[in-house]
Amino acid sequence: MKQAFEKETGATLGGTDASGMFGFYETSCIGLSDQEPAALIDFCPVTELTPQKVKTVVAKLKTGSPAISICDEPKNNIRYTPGENTFILKDYEPGAALRNLKELEPVEVINSIKEAGLMGMGGAFFPTGIKWETCRKSVSNRKFVVCNADEGEPGTFKDRVLLNTMPGLVIEGMALGAYSVGASEGIIYLRAEYRWLKEKIEQTLEDFREKGWLGDHIPAKQPFSFDIRVQLGAGAYVCGEETALLNSLEGKRGEPRTRRYFPVERGYLAKPTLVNNVETFATAARILESGAEKMRKLGTKDSPGTKLISISGDCAKPGIYEIEWGMRLGDLLALCEANDPYYVQVSGPSGVAVSMKERNRRLCKEDLLCGGSFMVFDKTRDLLQILHNFSNFFKQESCGICTPCRAGNFILNRKLEKLQLGLGSLRDLVELEDWGATIKQNSRCGLGQMSPNSIVDAIHKFPEYFDQRVDKSGSRLNMGFDMAAAVREYEEAVKE
Amino acid sequence: MQNLITITIDGKEVQVRDGELLLNVIRKAGVDVPSLCYYEHIDPPLGTCRVCTVEVNGRHVASCTTLARNGMNVVVHDDPTLHDTRKAMVEMLFAEGNHFCPACEKSGDCDLQGMGYQLGVNVSRFPHLFVDRIIDYNPKRVVIEHNRCIRCRRCVDEVLTTDGKRVFSFANRGNDTEVAIDYEQEATLTEEQAVHAMHICPTGAILVRGKSLARPFGDRKYDIGELANGETVPVVFPDVHALKNGEKKVIATVSLAGCFGCHMSMLDLDMGILDLVELVEFNKSPLTDIKHFTKKVDLGIIEGGCCNSENVEVLREFRKKCRILVAIGECAIWGGLPAMRNTLPLRECLEEAYLHSFTSEEGAAIIPQSEDIPKILDKVYACNEVVDIDFFIPGCPPSANHIWKVVKNLLFDQEYSVLFPEFKYD
Ligand SMILES: Cc1cc2nc3c(=O)[nH]c(=O)nc-3n(C[C@H](O)[C@H](O)[C@H](O)COP(=O)(O)O)c2cc1C
Ligand code: SF4
Ligand code: SF4
Ligand code: SF4
Ligand code: FES
């Protein structure tokens, strides 16, 4: 694909062509892992690329067609829903959740959410009811509800599909939140890579306003006014972290704040702010619509309900799976027709590396939680290459403000490169783990705290792989020093 | 009056005011905790360096951004791994920047350096990254040395123009994060404001044109251990010692990519050297001019890193022949001044040296080479990147006393402690 683009546009990766018409750059995951290879042209998505397709697309751009006219409508690829237990992705009837507000006090809404046992779906799994309650209790003349649609964890695209198929459900969830906590202003923080969804969301907001479901005097038991606007992100992964997101909303640099206040105490513009993930709001709406009871019957004791999983990688059916919490890993792999899985990265690079010995583990709070990303790799993929890609991601996406994450991830990255060159020793593995632990324990925000996870896990879980790649002699002459490589530059310089 | 609460610091209960900054609470309780980015005038504190990390209720937190709450169980020193963690933060900062202390204007007054001394950092466990960074001469009043910036953010929050406008901000992400300068605003800084910027910068990253630090090198606060209260540097010693046989101990020394300064420093023992020759025998060493090992050696002392293929061979030979290897001086420890070339491609260095420099002959077109001269490596390697090193003595050069104490410890098991003025990077 890289070659195809370079050939057709004349721009090399990381630069522009001579005329400056095309610029061609690498980006982190753009949330289209189920229809790779994919690219954004002027923020318009083109998916399932082939060299032939690249050729046609670029030819059209050259004749002056705007990107918007030639881009693809990304598929939703909803591959599986659990029949009558489907909770989130069933047919959507606009207003079905909101109309309940006529009979409910704000606290009663919060109670339903609590009864249902809803947890945050953005990856931290914080109990949503408690968050709403705390925000409700924060005293302020102005409060905000923010929908976190930054979806930056590589391999996740569930929020994209939710916003594309039923933006109304998410909006209803936000309105419930607003009613519960006493907020009148809402913001959807949409990642820049999803700009193509903006129009659709705004259209839905307009429809809601027309129906009187947004704006002043929304029908509810208590007086309720609430409106929502969409704000685009600037393309940084760390802006998915809620306090960095708030900074970004305020037009500041996307840096996580120091943990002195929770956003529900002091958030956007220092006012109490409820930040929840897209799927959290969607599920909250479903709870009011179908009842907390129904959700409690699904899933496991500690994680009731269902979860949207974005599956990508070496399987026949990448896409969205709504599963009941508690499903076995092996069953999910069978569903997506992963024929020869070797390694699965659950919850994205910040998540958990899983080997096939763990097929019987269950996806649920009691065992293995999954934030949404589920990447399957077979034996044809090199583990170190994958880990190095993840490490590149963190090295670039660290906000750079704290030492362990900024410097540490670069240091780990170098170490992985050494291993890739076959120059590692047992000591390097020990150091990767030690240094990984240091980064985890001491980083300021979740990004740094999770960044070494995949490396540390993989070393533990794939000993047979690493054993073959490191020197185990214990020699005090460091075999990692490669004399031939070290003198190569000199030999070339003196050749001429 | 705020409520009094009770917290535990290293097992001792203390009463403090609710919501007070944990860092200050710990210090008031008479317990040492290091800090680097913390600057009392910036609120909320920056919390960027993580050097002030302590454990609260089982989790690591930066004590400068944490508020004291009732019942907190705080561990600062009781768990020695915490000291190591704080040390790791400082080591990371050294590894990711390009800190050539012997050539730095701030040396002796630099808080990063001071932190290294206070925590006993004699080597960074992390290999130096040597990323090419610029020195920005564009600003009118100041010069920004990006090689030395630890991205603490002090300047961003603290340096304002008379109109209250910011001069510095952070740009880019990841390891490319750097201080960006608003040149227009910078030009409006008064001299006093510029000097303030230089002073609040914990490192030598902000310099003011035409200004130098008041005290001369050698007399500065960390040179003389002004803040040390007579304490000694907490160096962690490895568990290696020469065999306790009755024979005279054998030492070998070598200067690889170094300047012989460390060897000169060894000679600074003056009369002590006479005691030394009574106790030990020198084998291969420039001091004896013995060119080849003639026997097994107890202690090998290495000055200089590896800049060419011969350095590597000699160093490997030392590792094979010596029971204990000690790297002395910045060059041996991580490359030192010769490693200034590490951020540049070797070809550029060679061309500059042989083809384009003032002293190269008109029309010179050849970079010299011969089978008899060693091959230059792509960068200068620290000794411990090539072989295992047992111990490191920092300094450029290290003080004679420090070297001597370590030697006596390694060979004769003599206890020792290092005073602050003996532990330096320049
Ligand atoms: C580095 C980082 C990235 C994050 N990215 C996202 C994201 O893209 N979307 C999201 O909803 N939450 C993300 N989170 C989690 C949020 O900080 C926050 O927990 C979440 O938005 C809360 O909503 P929830 O309780 O509904 O999950 C991220 C956290 C971290 C540390
Ligand atoms: S952990 Fe990483 S992303 Fe988070 S504050 Fe630190 S540098 Fe920024
Ligand atoms: S004195 Fe400080 S700023 Fe200067 S090189 Fe040394 S550590 Fe870096
Ligand atoms: S220039 Fe100095 S004060 Fe500013 S961030 Fe860098 S080290 Fe800190
Ligand atoms: S002193 Fe606390 S983080 Fe820097």
Side-chain angles (χ1 to χ4, degrees):
Chain A
M1 265 339 108
K2 173 172 166 270
Q3 278 169 3
F5 267 112
E6 288 185 336
K7 178 160 165 263
E8 300 304 327
T9 62
T12 38
L13 192 65
T16 62
D17 68 334
S19 69
M21 180 176 185
F22 293 103
F24 181 37
Y25 304 94
E26 247 178 354
T27 166
S28 298
C29 179
I30 54 175
L32 290 164
S33 325
D34 54 337
Q35 34 216 304
E36 310 164 298
L40 293 173
I41 302 175
D42 290 347
F43 283 101
C44 301
V46 283
T47 59
E48 298 180 321
L49 290 166
T50 58
Q52 187 50 43
K53 184 164 171 182
V54 170
K55 200 168 173 178
T56 5
V57 167
V58 175
K60 283 192 198 152
L61 288 169
K62 279 187 178 157
T63 64
S65 316
I68 187 114
S69 69
I70 41 177
C71 66
D72 297 300
E73 163 83 11
K75 292 183 199 147
N76 291 315
N77 282 334
I78 298 176
R79 302 283 189 174
Y80 172 82
T81 50
E84 59 182 28
N85 289 344
T86 309
F87 197 73
I88 304 170
L89 294 177
K90 57 190 177 188
D91 288 341
Y92 169 59
E93 181 205 336
L98 268 184
R99 65 173 167 246
N100 293 297
L101 291 188
K102 279 180 244 162
E103 275 92 57
L104 294 173
E105 293 287 339
V107 225
E108 290 174 306
V109 179
I110 297 180
N111 286 341
S112 299
I113 301 295
K114 276 185 168 174
E115 267 163 46
L118 178 60
M119 311 178 285
M121 300 297 187
F125 304 100
F126 189 82
T128 309
I130 296 182
K131 193 189 261 187
W132 289 22
E133 189 169 46
T134 326
C135 189
R136 173 168 181 75
K137 286 182 182 154
S138 295
V139 184
S140 171
N141 54 355
R142 209 173 162 200
K143 292 184 188 176
F144 295 91
V145 170
V146 173
C147 174
N148 187 343
D150 195 54
E151 192 156 67
E153 187 70 42
T156 327
F157 45 87
K158 63 183 181 68
D159 296 344
R160 173 199 98 208
V161 171
L162 269 175
L163 288 170
N164 199 22
T165 54
M166 36 187 97
L169 186 69
V170 181
I171 295 168
E172 287 189 50
M174 288 179 72
L176 301 180
Y179 181 67
S180 308
V181 305
S184 53
E185 292 162 78
I187 304 167
I188 298 176
Y189 183 88
L190 187 67
R191 71 183 297 212
E193 291 82 350
Y194 289 172
R195 182 181 290 182
W196 52 275
L197 282 166
K198 188 169 180 237
E199 204 179 319
K200 184 173 226 159
I201 300 171
E202 283 179 337
Q203 188 52 53
T204 317
L205 290 170
E206 205 40 58
D207 293 346
F208 268 56
R209 283 182 204 115
E210 269 166 34
K211 293 200 175 96
W213 296 342
L214 280 181
D216 291 337
H217 314 301
I218 301 167
K221 194 162 176 190
Q222 292 293 329
F224 179 40
S225 298
F226 179 61
D227 210 338
I228 299 176
R229 66 184 167 86
V230 181
Q231 185 161 334
L232 282 174
Y237 168 61
V238 70
C239 288
E241 196 280 336
E242 52 191 7
T243 60
L245 184 151
L246 294 170
N247 275 350
S248 166
L249 277 179
E250 292 175 7
K252 299 184 187 145
R253 185 169 189 264
E255 271 165 22
R257 299 176 175 177
T258 45
R259 286 253 159 218
R260 209 177 250 198
Y261 302 100
F262 290 110
V264 287
E265 296 161 342
R266 265 167 170 254
Y268 181 55
L269 305 178
K271 300 290 177 192
T273 304
L274 182 67
V275 185
N276 274 124
N277 170 255
V278 173
E279 187 185 350
T280 314
F281 282 125
T283 314
R286 289 301 194 192
I287 292 173
L288 269 235
E289 180 187 341
S290 318
E293 289 289 279
K294 162 101 199 213
M295 175 149 149
R296 271 281 170 200
K297 286 201 192 98
L298 307 174
T300 65
K301 184 167 158 292
D302 293 344
S303 42
T306 63
K307 172 77 189 131
L308 301 185
I309 309 276
S310 329
I311 302 188
S312 59
D314 296 317
C315 62
K317 291 188 169 165
I320 295 293
Y321 290 70
E322 176 171 349
I323 62 158
E324 263 189 76
W325 282 117
M327 182 182 266
R328 281 189 201 284
L329 202 81
D331 295 338
L332 185 54
L333 286 167
L335 271 183
C336 71
E337 295 175 21
N339 291 327
D340 187 21
Y342 171 61
Y343 162 63
V344 181
Q345 185 67 27
V346 177
S347 303
S350 348
V352 187
V354 172
S355 83
M356 283 311 107
K357 292 191 199 88
E358 298 167 84
R359 270 177 177 280
N360 278 331
R361 289 187 70 178
R362 291 161 63 218
L363 293 166
C364 57
K365 188 159 182 195
E366 292 87 339
D367 188 358
L368 178 64
L369 277 166
C370 174
S373 169
F374 192 92
M375 295 188 260
V376 188
F377 300 95
D378 65 21
K379 270 243 153 92
T380 64
R381 316 282 166 177
D382 180 49
L383 190 50
L384 271 169
Q385 180 64 45
I386 302 169
L387 295 174
H388 189 250
N389 286 349
F390 290 167
S391 167
N392 282 342
F393 175 75
F394 291 116
K395 178 181 147 201
Q396 284 158 15
E397 294 295 332
S398 154
C399 85
I401 193 93
C402 75
T403 310
C405 170
R406 178 191 65 237
N409 277 306
F410 199 159
I411 290 165
L412 292 188
N413 192 268
R414 284 272 174 92
K415 186 81 101 186
L416 288 173
E417 277 162 14
K418 184 176 171 195
L419 254 60
Q420 278 184 300
L421 290 171
L423 302 170
S425 67
L426 268 187
R427 174 138 120 217
D428 289 308
L429 295 186
V430 173
E431 284 178 347
L432 275 172
E433 287 188 59
D434 280 358
W435 301 354
T438 302
I439 298 170
K440 280 168 73 122
Q441 288 173 325
N442 302 295
S443 289
R444 167 158 151 173
C445 86
L447 191 152
Q449 289 158 9
M450 319 270 247
S451 55
N453 282 355
S454 46
I455 299 173
V456 175
D457 278 352
I459 293 175
H460 274 287
K461 295 187 179 175
F462 297 89
E464 72 290 349
Y465 173 90
F466 284 96
D467 268 7
Q468 288 170 10
R469 276 161 187 81
V470 295
D471 168 50
K472 283 178 287 187
S473 66
S475 159
R476 304 206 76 189
L477 299 179
N478 185 347
M479 294 308 162
F481 178 79
D482 186 350
M483 181 83 108
V487 297
R488 198 168 298 135
E489 236 181 298
Y490 175 76
E491 284 172 343
E492 271 164 29
V494 295
K495 216 186 281 167
E496 296 134 30
Chain B
M1 186 68 199
Q2 279 166 294
N3 295 339
L4 280 185
I5 53 163
T6 307
I7 68 172
T8 319
I9 301 176
D10 281 340
K12 259 182 37 197
E13 284 198 355
V14 284
Q15 292 232 308
V16 304
R17 281 208 311 267
D18 191 14
E20 207 181 338
L21 209 57
L22 192 57
L23 179 85
N24 293 333
V25 164
I26 297 171
R27 286 182 176 166
K28 277 188 208 161
V31 177
D32 260 350
V33 57
S35 69
L36 182 53
C37 70
Y38 177 67
Y39 184 60
E40 55 186 347
H41 303 290
I42 300 178
D43 185 62
L46 303 162
T48 53
C49 74
R50 320 310 278 179
V51 170
C52 64
T53 295
V54 300
E55 197 185 285
V56 171
N57 302 338
R59 289 194 56 190
H60 287 199
V61 301
S63 58
C64 74
T65 62
T66 307
L67 305 182
R69 297 289 179 219
N70 197 24
M72 270 184 173
N73 183 19
V74 184
V75 185
V76 185
H77 298 290
D78 272 4
D79 176 355
T81 65
L82 283 166
H83 172 81
D84 190 60
T85 292
R86 296 187 282 260
K87 214 170 143 185
M89 296 301 115
V90 173
E91 290 172 18
M92 275 187 189
L93 290 171
F94 275 108
E96 75 163 341
N98 299 309
H99 294 277
F100 301 97
C101 297
C104 177
E105 291 80 350
K106 192 86 170 227
S107 195
D109 267 339
C110 163
D111 294 336
L112 176 62
Q113 227 181 22
M115 220 18 67
Y117 299 168
Q118 192 184 327
L119 297 177
V121 174
N122 53 354
V123 60
S124 170
R125 74 196 73 180
F126 311 106
H128 280 56
L129 297 171
F130 293 118
V131 177
D132 191 17
R133 301 188 196 280
I134 60 157
I135 306 176
D136 190 348
Y137 291 102
N138 288 315
K140 185 169 146 235
R141 291 214 164 266
V142 301
V143 171
I144 303 291
E145 232 294 13
H146 288 283
N147 291 293
R148 302 171 185 160
C149 171
I150 55 169
R151 283 146 295 179
C152 71
R153 214 170 183 284
R154 274 189 188 180
C155 58
V156 177
D157 279 36
E158 179 67 14
V159 179
L160 302 176
T161 63
T162 313
D163 300 341
K165 296 236 170 63
R166 287 194 178 194
V167 175
F168 300 101
S169 61
F170 268 7
N172 304 334
R173 254 183 286 161
N175 206 266
D176 296 331
T177 305
E178 62 179 21
V179 164
I181 308 135
D182 184 331
Y183 295 133
E184 244 171 68
Q185 297 303 333
E186 193 275 337
T188 72
L189 287 179
T190 63
E191 177 147 307
E192 201 185 328
Q193 286 163 341
V195 169
H196 178 59
M198 171 161 75
H199 283 305
I200 57 135
C201 175
T203 68
I206 301 181
L207 303 171
V208 179
R209 291 172 189 271
K211 283 269 159 193
S212 52
L213 298 169
R215 280 200 256 176
F217 288 115
D219 261 352
R220 295 181 175 174
K221 68 179 165 190
Y222 301 111
D223 291 334
I224 54 177
E226 188 172 284
L227 307 176
N229 294 327
E231 304 221 351
T232 55
V233 182
V235 197
V236 179
F237 222 75
D239 198 14
V240 286
H241 290 280
L243 289 176
K244 284 208 177 80
N245 53 15
E247 290 166 34
K248 235 183 176 183
K249 297 291 191 295
V250 187
I251 295 183
T253 75
V254 68
S255 174
L256 303 173
C259 69
F260 269 95
C262 296
H263 273 76
M264 298 311 274
S265 194
M266 285 194 264
L267 296 179
D268 271 348
L269 277 178
D270 295 336
M271 300 307 278
I273 207 121
L274 296 178
D275 298 341
L276 189 61
V277 284
E278 291 289 311
L279 296 168
V280 302
E281 166 193 339
F282 280 89
N283 197 258
K284 178 178 159 74
S285 166
L287 301 175
T288 54
D289 214 19
I290 299 176
K291 301 271 194 270
H292 300 283
F293 285 102
T294 55
K295 53 161 83 166
K296 273 274 185 192
V297 170
D298 294 293
L299 174 65
I301 296 178
I302 316 287
E303 162 189 331
C306 295
C307 76
N308 64 34
S309 52
E310 192 217 2
N311 295 155
V312 173
E313 284 154 16
V314 172
L315 183 56
R316 285 178 169 164
E317 180 74 3
F318 261 73
R319 182 69 272 178
K320 286 182 197 150
K321 292 285 172 14
C322 306
R323 277 182 38 77
I324 305 171
L325 269 195
V326 174
I328 67 169
E330 299 302 304
C331 303
I333 293 174
W334 59 272
L337 291 187
M340 277 189 162
R341 75 162 164 100
N342 283 9
T343 60
L344 304 170
L346 175 64
R347 180 187 293 264
E348 258 178 51
C349 300
L350 291 171
E351 286 175 356
E352 183 63 32
Y354 293 111
L355 311 184
H356 312 311
S357 81
F358 285 129
T359 53
S360 52
E361 277 175 38
E362 194 74 28
I366 311 172
I367 297 166
Q369 64 151 330
S370 142
E371 282 192 358
D372 300 331
I373 51 177
K375 292 176 180 167
I376 311 283
L377 306 183
D378 55 345
K379 60 171 195 153
V380 179
Y381 289 81
C383 289
N384 68 352
E385 286 181 279
V386 178
V387 302
D388 276 2
I389 299 288
D390 298 296
F391 196 66
F392 304 84
I393 308 177
C396 189
S399 83
N401 273 342
H402 193 172
I403 302 174
W404 182 218
K405 285 175 181 177
V406 171
V407 169
K408 281 195 290 191
N409 173 284
L410 289 171
L411 296 181
F412 313 115
D413 255 348
Q414 280 188 22
E415 298 249 335
Y416 83 112
S417 56
V418 182
L419 306 173
F420 274 84
E422 292 170 344
F423 191 96
K424 302 212 328 170
Y425 302 146
D426 66 353

